Amino acid sequence: MPQVPQTLDALAVRTWCGLALEALGRAREEIDAINVYPVADGDTGTNLYLTVESAAAAVEAVFAGYETVTGVVGPTGSAASGAVSTEVTGAGLPTLADAVRAMAHGALIGARGNSGTILAQLLRGMAQVLAADGEVDGAAGGETDGATDGESAHTDGQALRLALRQAADSAREAVAHPVEGTVLTVATAAAEAATGTEGDCGTVACAAYEGARAALMATPGQLAVLERAGVVDAGGRGLLAVLAALAETFTGESPGAGRVAGEVHTRVNGMDGVSGVDRVDGVARVDVNGVCVDSRPGEEGPAFEVTYLLEAEDADVARLRARLDRLGNSLVVVGGDGLWNVHVHADDAGAAVEAGVEAGRPYRIRITHFGLGDAHTAGAAGRPPRERAQRAVVAVVPGEGLAGLYAEAGATTVLARPGEPPASGELVEAVRRAHAREVVLLPNDADLRHTAAAAAEQARTEGVRVALIPTRSAVQGIAALAVHEPERRFDEDVVAMTSAAGATRYAEVAVAERQSWTMAGICQEGDVLGLIDGDVAVIGSDITATAETVLDRMLAAGGEMVTLVLGDDAPGSIAAHLEARVRESYLAVDTVAYRGGRQGALLLIGVE
């Protein structure tokens, strides 16, 4: 049996995230199948999995940062990632505070759906206690347990009790109108069971699990829609899997392995007069005592689910909550310290987004129609399920402008914010959204190749034929998309797209974030870097001059088409200057320019 952590430290957090992700991966389809509240859209398990995947990736990134040493080239999450950092980021292991803050932040930015958003707040509540400076004090429940030094005060069973209590309380505060019989009820029961338990972390975690399990099995008696369907709450079932992983982290064994899954399965397949739950494209058709009941998304509630990340001040978020509460229901706003995750169901999706614009800067905006246009939902009443397309393109793009450009060309896009690459689960979900028999996947980033490969493999297990083209830049993706012809045989189309991408050299212009050793020499913080095919080739002080030097070097080897993608911070005249340079110095070379939005790099350049 592998060694298990004895105290709550960074390694324990890392282990917990990994085990929770595995547990949700195993239970995802089961949880999706019993998802009937608040909307029977069959995605709660998937949303929880994606939320925890983002949290686990953030924790792994912290550990990777502590393993970085001087002279090792690696991705830094910045636009100047081709540089070699002169900093030594640390040795050994991150602190508990580092790990739990990363876990909470990762969950916040990756939270999906109602239950995923609540889970992100649960993890944030735990982090508020476990990452607190000094002793665990009254702000987290008033117990001290004799702890006197900062880090050790957060590593024992008492700290875990307080963290679970804070998690449950903060999650309830984040939900505009808490409903019993949901994940909130299960979280509260876990916290209460833990509060009444003395002992080490393993003892407390097991008690929390047992309290949550009992509460979960009681949810059908608290929520009528669950009782009618004969199922337990899907979000609560997902939280139970996360708590089982917490207990396994400290004991090495999963508590009650298989017991809950069996009980849930019994409820779905015959308990309390329920003969089964059949789900066709996300619509729950529950056979209760011989009567078929449709629980169809969008028929008894708002038509849209609206989610976005929001950069805003606390006072503005308070006003946002009030406005969104008037617009719709299932309102959950989680986060803090200037970054929030907003989730609401509303009929007027535009008004929900506009409210975010008035409060701050919303991004990663997702609007999902509960009744239309999704691979997991049926059409309007009486319409057959949407037919699969024969072929689709799924692409990762670094900015809103490029996302629009790719979408106009027919691609399904996944937006990658600078420093926050998408997880494989997000790519799998995008493949599902594309709803096609054949999918061409464009990662558009060398660092995403393994993530994209994992997503492709997962999609293949679901019966989708996927071809991964290893594009390393969005400009290579543009070249591939330009020759895409869905009417061609799949293999021929993939070959043509791969050839076009491979024939496109790529470059970017960015600003150095710190002093670094590079292939072109030492750069200082604030220097302008020109990276060609991933390596720093030019160091300058002027953005336009550096871009011109980079372009000249690329065209020295020939070219027929130059693609420029301008970031929000690029000088307004740079495109016109570079286009003039190409016209004057390179005959028969065309130039096209696009606005990329907030894409990290000041400028992306492609030469075909």
Side-chain angles (χ1 to χ4, degrees), residues 440-443 449 467-472 476-485 488 490-505:
V440 179
L441 185 55
L442 306 175
R449 183 169 183 177
L468 170 62
I469 298 178
T471 49
R472 295 176 289 175
Q476 288 188 323
I478 291 173
L481 201 54
V483 300
H484 169 54
E485 291 185 13
R488 273 193 301 225
F490 185 63
D491 293 339
E492 292 176 356
D493 198 30
V494 171
V495 168
M497 295 176 72
T498 302
S499 177
T504 302
R505 300 188 68 196

PDB file of all heavy atoms in Angstrom, residues 440-443 449 467-472 476-485 488 490-505:
ATOM      1  N   VAL A 440     -11.594  17.280 -36.429  1.00  0.00           N
ATOM      2  CA  VAL A 440     -10.192  17.666 -36.563  1.00  0.00           C
ATOM      3  C   VAL A 440      -9.885  18.593 -35.392  1.00  0.00           C
ATOM      4  O   VAL A 440     -10.554  19.609 -35.202  1.00  0.00           O
ATOM      5  CB  VAL A 440      -9.931  18.385 -37.889  1.00  0.00           C
ATOM      6  CG1 VAL A 440      -8.460  18.785 -37.988  1.00  0.00           C
ATOM      7  CG2 VAL A 440     -10.322  17.495 -39.067  1.00  0.00           C
ATOM      8  N   LEU A 441      -8.869  18.261 -34.598  1.00  0.00           N
ATOM      9  CA  LEU A 441      -8.540  19.003 -33.385  1.00  0.00           C
ATOM     10  C   LEU A 441      -7.271  19.817 -33.594  1.00  0.00           C
ATOM     11  O   LEU A 441      -6.230  19.283 -33.973  1.00  0.00           O
ATOM     12  CB  LEU A 441      -8.356  18.023 -32.219  1.00  0.00           C
ATOM     13  CG  LEU A 441      -8.120  18.595 -30.825  1.00  0.00           C
ATOM     14  CD1 LEU A 441      -9.218  19.565 -30.423  1.00  0.00           C
ATOM     15  CD2 LEU A 441      -8.014  17.461 -29.807  1.00  0.00           C
ATOM     16  N   LEU A 442      -7.371  21.131 -33.363  1.00  0.00           N
ATOM     17  CA  LEU A 442      -6.239  22.050 -33.528  1.00  0.00           C
ATOM     18  C   LEU A 442      -5.879  22.644 -32.169  1.00  0.00           C
ATOM     19  O   LEU A 442      -6.549  23.568 -31.700  1.00  0.00           O
ATOM     20  CB  LEU A 442      -6.602  23.179 -34.507  1.00  0.00           C
ATOM     21  CG  LEU A 442      -7.132  22.775 -35.889  1.00  0.00           C
ATOM     22  CD1 LEU A 442      -7.555  24.019 -36.662  1.00  0.00           C
ATOM     23  CD2 LEU A 442      -6.082  21.987 -36.658  1.00  0.00           C
ATOM     24  N   PRO A 443      -4.813  22.177 -31.511  1.00  0.00           N
ATOM     25  CA  PRO A 443      -4.451  22.718 -30.195  1.00  0.00           C
ATOM     26  C   PRO A 443      -3.859  24.121 -30.260  1.00  0.00           C
ATOM     27  O   PRO A 443      -3.944  24.890 -29.302  1.00  0.00           O
ATOM     28  CB  PRO A 443      -3.441  21.705 -29.657  1.00  0.00           C
ATOM     29  CG  PRO A 443      -2.871  21.048 -30.873  1.00  0.00           C
ATOM     30  CD  PRO A 443      -3.987  21.014 -31.873  1.00  0.00           C
ATOM     31  N   ARG A 449      -0.037  19.927 -26.746  1.00  0.00           N
ATOM     32  CA  ARG A 449      -0.107  18.729 -27.593  1.00  0.00           C
ATOM     33  C   ARG A 449      -0.524  17.486 -26.794  1.00  0.00           C
ATOM     34  O   ARG A 449      -1.388  16.720 -27.233  1.00  0.00           O
ATOM     35  CB  ARG A 449       1.249  18.490 -28.262  1.00  0.00           C
ATOM     36  CG  ARG A 449       1.234  17.298 -29.215  1.00  0.00           C
ATOM     37  CD  ARG A 449       2.476  17.227 -30.062  1.00  0.00           C
ATOM     38  NE  ARG A 449       2.398  16.127 -31.006  1.00  0.00           N
ATOM     39  CZ  ARG A 449       3.316  15.862 -31.915  1.00  0.00           C
ATOM     40  NH1 ARG A 449       4.378  16.648 -32.029  1.00  0.00           N
ATOM     41  NH2 ARG A 449       3.190  14.837 -32.736  1.00  0.00           N
ATOM     42  N   ALA A 467      -8.873  13.376 -35.469  1.00  0.00           N
ATOM     43  CA  ALA A 467      -7.514  13.554 -35.975  1.00  0.00           C
ATOM     44  C   ALA A 467      -6.916  14.781 -35.302  1.00  0.00           C
ATOM     45  O   ALA A 467      -7.516  15.861 -35.318  1.00  0.00           O
ATOM     46  CB  ALA A 467      -7.512  13.733 -37.485  1.00  0.00           C
ATOM     47  N   LEU A 468      -5.751  14.607 -34.696  1.00  0.00           N
ATOM     48  CA  LEU A 468      -5.062  15.709 -34.026  1.00  0.00           C
ATOM     49  C   LEU A 468      -3.976  16.254 -34.943  1.00  0.00           C
ATOM     50  O   LEU A 468      -3.048  15.539 -35.316  1.00  0.00           O
ATOM     51  CB  LEU A 468      -4.450  15.216 -32.707  1.00  0.00           C
ATOM     52  CG  LEU A 468      -3.506  16.180 -31.990  1.00  0.00           C
ATOM     53  CD1 LEU A 468      -4.232  17.458 -31.596  1.00  0.00           C
ATOM     54  CD2 LEU A 468      -2.898  15.505 -30.758  1.00  0.00           C
ATOM     55  N   ILE A 469      -4.107  17.520 -35.313  1.00  0.00           N
ATOM     56  CA  ILE A 469      -3.072  18.187 -36.103  1.00  0.00           C
ATOM     57  C   ILE A 469      -2.245  19.023 -35.138  1.00  0.00           C
ATOM     58  O   ILE A 469      -2.782  19.921 -34.487  1.00  0.00           O
ATOM     59  CB  ILE A 469      -3.688  19.079 -37.203  1.00  0.00           C
ATOM     60  CG1 ILE A 469      -4.489  18.206 -38.175  1.00  0.00           C
ATOM     61  CG2 ILE A 469      -2.605  19.848 -37.946  1.00  0.00           C
ATOM     62  CD1 ILE A 469      -5.174  18.993 -39.283  1.00  0.00           C
ATOM     63  N   PRO A 470      -0.947  18.767 -35.007  1.00  0.00           N
ATOM     64  CA  PRO A 470      -0.139  19.404 -33.952  1.00  0.00           C
ATOM     65  C   PRO A 470       0.223  20.857 -34.257  1.00  0.00           C
ATOM     66  O   PRO A 470       1.399  21.220 -34.343  1.00  0.00           O
ATOM     67  CB  PRO A 470       1.100  18.506 -33.884  1.00  0.00           C
ATOM     68  CG  PRO A 470       1.250  17.977 -35.268  1.00  0.00           C
ATOM     69  CD  PRO A 470      -0.155  17.777 -35.777  1.00  0.00           C
ATOM     70  N   THR A 471      -0.777  21.711 -34.433  1.00  0.00           N
ATOM     71  CA  THR A 471      -0.518  23.135 -34.664  1.00  0.00           C
ATOM     72  C   THR A 471       0.066  23.762 -33.408  1.00  0.00           C
ATOM     73  O   THR A 471      -0.397  23.508 -32.292  1.00  0.00           O
ATOM     74  CB  THR A 471      -1.817  23.854 -35.049  1.00  0.00           C
ATOM     75  OG1 THR A 471      -2.850  23.507 -34.124  1.00  0.00           O
ATOM     76  CG2 THR A 471      -2.260  23.463 -36.446  1.00  0.00           C
ATOM     77  N   ARG A 472       1.075  24.591 -33.583  1.00  0.00           N
ATOM     78  CA  ARG A 472       1.784  25.191 -32.442  1.00  0.00           C
ATOM     79  C   ARG A 472       1.457  26.664 -32.252  1.00  0.00           C
ATOM     80  O   ARG A 472       1.941  27.294 -31.311  1.00  0.00           O
ATOM     81  CB  ARG A 472       3.291  25.005 -32.631  1.00  0.00           C
ATOM     82  CG  ARG A 472       3.716  23.529 -32.596  1.00  0.00           C
ATOM     83  CD  ARG A 472       5.198  23.372 -32.879  1.00  0.00           C
ATOM     84  NE  ARG A 472       5.502  23.666 -34.283  1.00  0.00           N
ATOM     85  CZ  ARG A 472       6.734  23.708 -34.775  1.00  0.00           C
ATOM     86  NH1 ARG A 472       7.770  23.514 -33.980  1.00  0.00           N
ATOM     87  NH2 ARG A 472       6.932  23.971 -36.059  1.00  0.00           N
ATOM     88  N   GLN A 476      -0.981  29.018 -37.479  1.00  0.00           N
ATOM     89  CA  GLN A 476      -0.947  27.737 -38.178  1.00  0.00           C
ATOM     90  C   GLN A 476      -2.353  27.145 -38.274  1.00  0.00           C
ATOM     91  O   GLN A 476      -2.722  26.540 -39.277  1.00  0.00           O
ATOM     92  CB  GLN A 476      -0.014  26.755 -37.457  1.00  0.00           C
ATOM     93  CG  GLN A 476       1.463  27.089 -37.593  1.00  0.00           C
ATOM     94  CD  GLN A 476       2.350  25.985 -37.037  1.00  0.00           C
ATOM     95  OE1 GLN A 476       2.032  25.351 -36.035  1.00  0.00           O
ATOM     96  NE2 GLN A 476       3.477  25.766 -37.701  1.00  0.00           N
ATOM     97  N   GLY A 477      -3.135  27.349 -37.216  1.00  0.00           N
ATOM     98  CA  GLY A 477      -4.520  26.892 -37.246  1.00  0.00           C
ATOM     99  C   GLY A 477      -5.335  27.610 -38.305  1.00  0.00           C
ATOM    100  O   GLY A 477      -6.190  27.005 -38.976  1.00  0.00           O
ATOM    101  N   ILE A 478      -5.088  28.906 -38.477  1.00  0.00           N
ATOM    102  CA  ILE A 478      -5.778  29.667 -39.520  1.00  0.00           C
ATOM    103  C   ILE A 478      -5.445  29.094 -40.896  1.00  0.00           C
ATOM    104  O   ILE A 478      -6.323  28.934 -41.757  1.00  0.00           O
ATOM    105  CB  ILE A 478      -5.389  31.162 -39.443  1.00  0.00           C
ATOM    106  CG1 ILE A 478      -5.970  31.801 -38.176  1.00  0.00           C
ATOM    107  CG2 ILE A 478      -5.867  31.906 -40.677  1.00  0.00           C
ATOM    108  CD1 ILE A 478      -5.502  33.219 -37.940  1.00  0.00           C
ATOM    109  N   ALA A 479      -4.178  28.790 -41.110  1.00  0.00           N
ATOM    110  CA  ALA A 479      -3.765  28.211 -42.391  1.00  0.00           C
ATOM    111  C   ALA A 479      -4.444  26.868 -42.628  1.00  0.00           C
ATOM    112  O   ALA A 479      -4.892  26.560 -43.747  1.00  0.00           O
ATOM    113  CB  ALA A 479      -2.246  28.065 -42.430  1.00  0.00           C
ATOM    114  N   ALA A 480      -4.530  26.044 -41.578  1.00  0.00           N
ATOM    115  CA  ALA A 480      -5.180  24.737 -41.716  1.00  0.00           C
ATOM    116  C   ALA A 480      -6.665  24.898 -42.018  1.00  0.00           C
ATOM    117  O   ALA A 480      -7.227  24.203 -42.877  1.00  0.00           O
ATOM    118  CB  ALA A 480      -4.974  23.928 -40.436  1.00  0.00           C
ATOM    119  N   LEU A 481      -7.293  25.830 -41.307  1.00  0.00           N
ATOM    120  CA  LEU A 481      -8.733  26.030 -41.484  1.00  0.00           C
ATOM    121  C   LEU A 481      -9.050  26.572 -42.877  1.00  0.00           C
ATOM    122  O   LEU A 481     -10.117  26.299 -43.443  1.00  0.00           O
ATOM    123  CB  LEU A 481      -9.235  26.995 -40.408  1.00  0.00           C
ATOM    124  CG  LEU A 481     -10.735  26.987 -40.064  1.00  0.00           C
ATOM    125  CD1 LEU A 481     -11.194  25.584 -39.712  1.00  0.00           C
ATOM    126  CD2 LEU A 481     -11.013  27.946 -38.930  1.00  0.00           C
ATOM    127  N   ALA A 482      -8.115  27.324 -43.445  1.00  0.00           N
ATOM    128  CA  ALA A 482      -8.344  27.913 -44.766  1.00  0.00           C
ATOM    129  C   ALA A 482      -8.465  26.861 -45.863  1.00  0.00           C
ATOM    130  O   ALA A 482      -9.123  27.098 -46.883  1.00  0.00           O
ATOM    131  CB  ALA A 482      -7.209  28.879 -45.099  1.00  0.00           C
ATOM    132  N   VAL A 483      -7.839  25.690 -45.679  1.00  0.00           N
ATOM    133  CA  VAL A 483      -7.906  24.650 -46.719  1.00  0.00           C
ATOM    134  C   VAL A 483      -8.862  23.525 -46.334  1.00  0.00           C
ATOM    135  O   VAL A 483      -8.972  22.530 -47.056  1.00  0.00           O
ATOM    136  CB  VAL A 483      -6.499  24.073 -47.005  1.00  0.00           C
ATOM    137  CG1 VAL A 483      -5.556  25.171 -47.476  1.00  0.00           C
ATOM    138  CG2 VAL A 483      -5.922  23.368 -45.778  1.00  0.00           C
ATOM    139  N   HIS A 484      -9.533  23.678 -45.218  1.00  0.00           N
ATOM    140  CA  HIS A 484     -10.475  22.650 -44.752  1.00  0.00           C
ATOM    141  C   HIS A 484     -11.662  22.533 -45.703  1.00  0.00           C
ATOM    142  O   HIS A 484     -12.292  23.521 -46.053  1.00  0.00           O
ATOM    143  CB  HIS A 484     -10.954  23.028 -43.345  1.00  0.00           C
ATOM    144  CG  HIS A 484     -12.108  22.214 -42.849  1.00  0.00           C
ATOM    145  ND1 HIS A 484     -12.094  20.841 -42.807  1.00  0.00           N
ATOM    146  CD2 HIS A 484     -13.322  22.608 -42.360  1.00  0.00           C
ATOM    147  CE1 HIS A 484     -13.242  20.410 -42.298  1.00  0.00           C
ATOM    148  NE2 HIS A 484     -13.999  21.463 -42.035  1.00  0.00           N
ATOM    149  N   GLU A 485     -11.952  21.311 -46.137  1.00  0.00           N
ATOM    150  CA  GLU A 485     -13.092  21.043 -47.007  1.00  0.00           C
ATOM    151  C   GLU A 485     -13.846  19.831 -46.466  1.00  0.00           C
ATOM    152  O   GLU A 485     -13.421  18.686 -46.653  1.00  0.00           O
ATOM    153  CB  GLU A 485     -12.637  20.778 -48.452  1.00  0.00           C
ATOM    154  CG  GLU A 485     -12.067  22.007 -49.153  1.00  0.00           C
ATOM    155  CD  GLU A 485     -11.750  21.742 -50.606  1.00  0.00           C
ATOM    156  OE1 GLU A 485     -12.198  20.693 -51.123  1.00  0.00           O
ATOM    157  OE2 GLU A 485     -11.056  22.569 -51.226  1.00  0.00           O
ATOM    158  N   ARG A 488     -14.497  16.572 -48.598  1.00  0.00           N
ATOM    159  CA  ARG A 488     -13.432  15.628 -48.957  1.00  0.00           C
ATOM    160  C   ARG A 488     -13.458  14.417 -48.040  1.00  0.00           C
ATOM    161  O   ARG A 488     -14.033  14.462 -46.950  1.00  0.00           O
ATOM    162  CB  ARG A 488     -12.062  16.311 -48.822  1.00  0.00           C
ATOM    163  CG  ARG A 488     -11.617  17.055 -50.043  1.00  0.00           C
ATOM    164  CD  ARG A 488     -10.141  17.416 -49.956  1.00  0.00           C
ATOM    165  NE  ARG A 488      -9.807  18.246 -48.816  1.00  0.00           N
ATOM    166  CZ  ARG A 488      -9.017  19.314 -48.866  1.00  0.00           C
ATOM    167  NH1 ARG A 488      -8.488  19.678 -50.016  1.00  0.00           N
ATOM    168  NH2 ARG A 488      -8.744  20.006 -47.792  1.00  0.00           N
ATOM    169  N   PHE A 490     -12.101  12.127 -45.195  1.00  0.00           N
ATOM    170  CA  PHE A 490     -11.524  12.591 -43.936  1.00  0.00           C
ATOM    171  C   PHE A 490      -9.996  12.596 -44.004  1.00  0.00           C
ATOM    172  O   PHE A 490      -9.349  13.585 -43.644  1.00  0.00           O
ATOM    173  CB  PHE A 490     -12.011  11.695 -42.790  1.00  0.00           C
ATOM    174  CG  PHE A 490     -11.571  12.154 -41.431  1.00  0.00           C
ATOM    175  CD1 PHE A 490     -11.981  13.370 -40.911  1.00  0.00           C
ATOM    176  CD2 PHE A 490     -10.735  11.353 -40.661  1.00  0.00           C
ATOM    177  CE1 PHE A 490     -11.589  13.795 -39.644  1.00  0.00           C
ATOM    178  CE2 PHE A 490     -10.333  11.757 -39.393  1.00  0.00           C
ATOM    179  CZ  PHE A 490     -10.757  12.979 -38.883  1.00  0.00           C
ATOM    180  N   ASP A 491      -9.407  11.504 -44.446  1.00  0.00           N
ATOM    181  CA  ASP A 491      -7.945  11.406 -44.496  1.00  0.00           C
ATOM    182  C   ASP A 491      -7.342  12.470 -45.410  1.00  0.00           C
ATOM    183  O   ASP A 491      -6.313  13.083 -45.081  1.00  0.00           O
ATOM    184  CB  ASP A 491      -7.506  10.020 -44.953  1.00  0.00           C
ATOM    185  CG  ASP A 491      -7.844   8.944 -43.930  1.00  0.00           C
ATOM    186  OD1 ASP A 491      -8.042   9.303 -42.749  1.00  0.00           O
ATOM    187  OD2 ASP A 491      -7.907   7.765 -44.306  1.00  0.00           O
ATOM    188  N   GLU A 492      -7.985  12.712 -46.541  1.00  0.00           N
ATOM    189  CA  GLU A 492      -7.466  13.711 -47.471  1.00  0.00           C
ATOM    190  C   GLU A 492      -7.555  15.114 -46.868  1.00  0.00           C
ATOM    191  O   GLU A 492      -6.644  15.936 -47.031  1.00  0.00           O
ATOM    192  CB  GLU A 492      -8.256  13.657 -48.783  1.00  0.00           C
ATOM    193  CG  GLU A 492      -8.037  12.380 -49.581  1.00  0.00           C
ATOM    194  CD  GLU A 492      -8.906  12.324 -50.824  1.00  0.00           C
ATOM    195  OE1 GLU A 492      -9.733  13.261 -50.995  1.00  0.00           O
ATOM    196  OE2 GLU A 492      -8.770  11.378 -51.609  1.00  0.00           O
ATOM    197  N   ASP A 493      -8.644  15.380 -46.182  1.00  0.00           N
ATOM    198  CA  ASP A 493      -8.815  16.684 -45.552  1.00  0.00           C
ATOM    199  C   ASP A 493      -7.754  16.902 -44.474  1.00  0.00           C
ATOM    200  O   ASP A 493      -7.152  17.982 -44.374  1.00  0.00           O
ATOM    201  CB  ASP A 493     -10.218  16.782 -44.951  1.00  0.00           C
ATOM    202  CG  ASP A 493     -10.634  18.215 -44.665  1.00  0.00           C
ATOM    203  OD1 ASP A 493     -10.176  19.132 -45.379  1.00  0.00           O
ATOM    204  OD2 ASP A 493     -11.426  18.426 -43.732  1.00  0.00           O
ATOM    205  N   VAL A 494      -7.513  15.888 -43.670  1.00  0.00           N
ATOM    206  CA  VAL A 494      -6.519  15.989 -42.603  1.00  0.00           C
ATOM    207  C   VAL A 494      -5.121  16.205 -43.176  1.00  0.00           C
ATOM    208  O   VAL A 494      -4.346  17.028 -42.668  1.00  0.00           O
ATOM    209  CB  VAL A 494      -6.549  14.735 -41.703  1.00  0.00           C
ATOM    210  CG1 VAL A 494      -5.371  14.728 -40.736  1.00  0.00           C
ATOM    211  CG2 VAL A 494      -7.863  14.663 -40.933  1.00  0.00           C
ATOM    212  N   VAL A 495      -4.800  15.500 -44.251  1.00  0.00           N
ATOM    213  CA  VAL A 495      -3.489  15.667 -44.886  1.00  0.00           C
ATOM    214  C   VAL A 495      -3.326  17.092 -45.405  1.00  0.00           C
ATOM    215  O   VAL A 495      -2.280  17.729 -45.215  1.00  0.00           O
ATOM    216  CB  VAL A 495      -3.301  14.643 -46.024  1.00  0.00           C
ATOM    217  CG1 VAL A 495      -2.082  14.998 -46.862  1.00  0.00           C
ATOM    218  CG2 VAL A 495      -3.151  13.235 -45.458  1.00  0.00           C
ATOM    219  N   ALA A 496      -4.349  17.624 -46.076  1.00  0.00           N
ATOM    220  CA  ALA A 496      -4.276  18.981 -46.614  1.00  0.00           C
ATOM    221  C   ALA A 496      -4.116  20.008 -45.498  1.00  0.00           C
ATOM    222  O   ALA A 496      -3.314  20.952 -45.610  1.00  0.00           O
ATOM    223  CB  ALA A 496      -5.523  19.277 -47.441  1.00  0.00           C
ATOM    224  N   MET A 497      -4.874  19.849 -44.402  1.00  0.00           N
ATOM    225  CA  MET A 497      -4.796  20.788 -43.294  1.00  0.00           C
ATOM    226  C   MET A 497      -3.437  20.699 -42.598  1.00  0.00           C
ATOM    227  O   MET A 497      -2.848  21.718 -42.211  1.00  0.00           O
ATOM    228  CB  MET A 497      -5.925  20.520 -42.296  1.00  0.00           C
ATOM    229  CG  MET A 497      -7.313  20.783 -42.867  1.00  0.00           C
ATOM    230  SD  MET A 497      -8.647  20.353 -41.721  1.00  0.00           S
ATOM    231  CE  MET A 497      -8.496  21.672 -40.510  1.00  0.00           C
ATOM    232  N   THR A 498      -2.934  19.481 -42.441  1.00  0.00           N
ATOM    233  CA  THR A 498      -1.625  19.299 -41.807  1.00  0.00           C
ATOM    234  C   THR A 498      -0.523  19.922 -42.650  1.00  0.00           C
ATOM    235  O   THR A 498       0.403  20.563 -42.132  1.00  0.00           O
ATOM    236  CB  THR A 498      -1.339  17.800 -41.598  1.00  0.00           C
ATOM    237  OG1 THR A 498      -2.377  17.225 -40.804  1.00  0.00           O
ATOM    238  CG2 THR A 498      -0.005  17.583 -40.906  1.00  0.00           C
ATOM    239  N   SER A 499      -0.622  19.746 -43.973  1.00  0.00           N
ATOM    240  CA  SER A 499       0.380  20.308 -44.866  1.00  0.00           C
ATOM    241  C   SER A 499       0.370  21.831 -44.805  1.00  0.00           C
ATOM    242  O   SER A 499       1.426  22.469 -44.747  1.00  0.00           O
ATOM    243  CB  SER A 499       0.116  19.838 -46.298  1.00  0.00           C
ATOM    244  OG  SER A 499       1.039  20.419 -47.191  1.00  0.00           O
ATOM    245  N   ALA A 500      -0.819  22.429 -44.782  1.00  0.00           N
ATOM    246  CA  ALA A 500      -0.918  23.891 -44.730  1.00  0.00           C
ATOM    247  C   ALA A 500      -0.366  24.425 -43.419  1.00  0.00           C
ATOM    248  O   ALA A 500       0.339  25.450 -43.395  1.00  0.00           O
ATOM    249  CB  ALA A 500      -2.370  24.318 -44.899  1.00  0.00           C
ATOM    250  N   ALA A 501      -0.657  23.752 -42.330  1.00  0.00           N
ATOM    251  CA  ALA A 501      -0.137  24.190 -41.029  1.00  0.00           C
ATOM    252  C   ALA A 501       1.374  24.051 -40.978  1.00  0.00           C
ATOM    253  O   ALA A 501       2.093  24.949 -40.509  1.00  0.00           O
ATOM    254  CB  ALA A 501      -0.782  23.377 -39.903  1.00  0.00           C
ATOM    255  N   GLY A 502       1.889  22.937 -41.488  1.00  0.00           N
ATOM    256  CA  GLY A 502       3.327  22.706 -41.451  1.00  0.00           C
ATOM    257  C   GLY A 502       4.106  23.663 -42.328  1.00  0.00           C
ATOM    258  O   GLY A 502       5.292  23.928 -42.070  1.00  0.00           O
ATOM    259  N   ALA A 503       3.457  24.197 -43.365  1.00  0.00           N
ATOM    260  CA  ALA A 503       4.134  25.130 -44.272  1.00  0.00           C
ATOM    261  C   ALA A 503       4.082  26.567 -43.760  1.00  0.00           C
ATOM    262  O   ALA A 503       4.552  27.479 -44.440  1.00  0.00           O
ATOM    263  CB  ALA A 503       3.488  25.056 -45.646  1.00  0.00           C
ATOM    264  N   THR A 504       3.512  26.765 -42.588  1.00  0.00           N
ATOM    265  CA  THR A 504       3.368  28.111 -42.024  1.00  0.00           C
ATOM    266  C   THR A 504       4.337  28.307 -40.869  1.00  0.00           C
ATOM    267  O   THR A 504       4.227  27.639 -39.834  1.00  0.00           O
ATOM    268  CB  THR A 504       1.929  28.343 -41.529  1.00  0.00           C
ATOM    269  OG1 THR A 504       1.017  28.157 -42.622  1.00  0.00           O
ATOM    270  CG2 THR A 504       1.768  29.739 -40.959  1.00  0.00           C
ATOM    271  N   ARG A 505       5.297  29.221 -41.055  1.00  0.00           N
ATOM    272  CA  ARG A 505       6.181  29.587 -39.944  1.00  0.00           C
ATOM    273  C   ARG A 505       5.424  30.564 -39.047  1.00  0.00           C
ATOM    274  O   ARG A 505       4.583  31.338 -39.521  1.00  0.00           O
ATOM    275  CB  ARG A 505       7.466  30.220 -40.449  1.00  0.00           C
ATOM    276  CG  ARG A 505       8.285  29.321 -41.359  1.00  0.00           C
ATOM    277  CD  ARG A 505       9.635  29.950 -41.656  1.00  0.00           C
ATOM    278  NE  ARG A 505      10.475  29.995 -40.461  1.00  0.00           N
ATOM    279  CZ  ARG A 505      11.567  30.751 -40.341  1.00  0.00           C
ATOM    280  NH1 ARG A 505      11.904  31.581 -41.325  1.00  0.00           N
ATOM    281  NH2 ARG A 505      12.303  30.717 -39.251  1.00  0.00           N
TER     282      ARG A 505
END
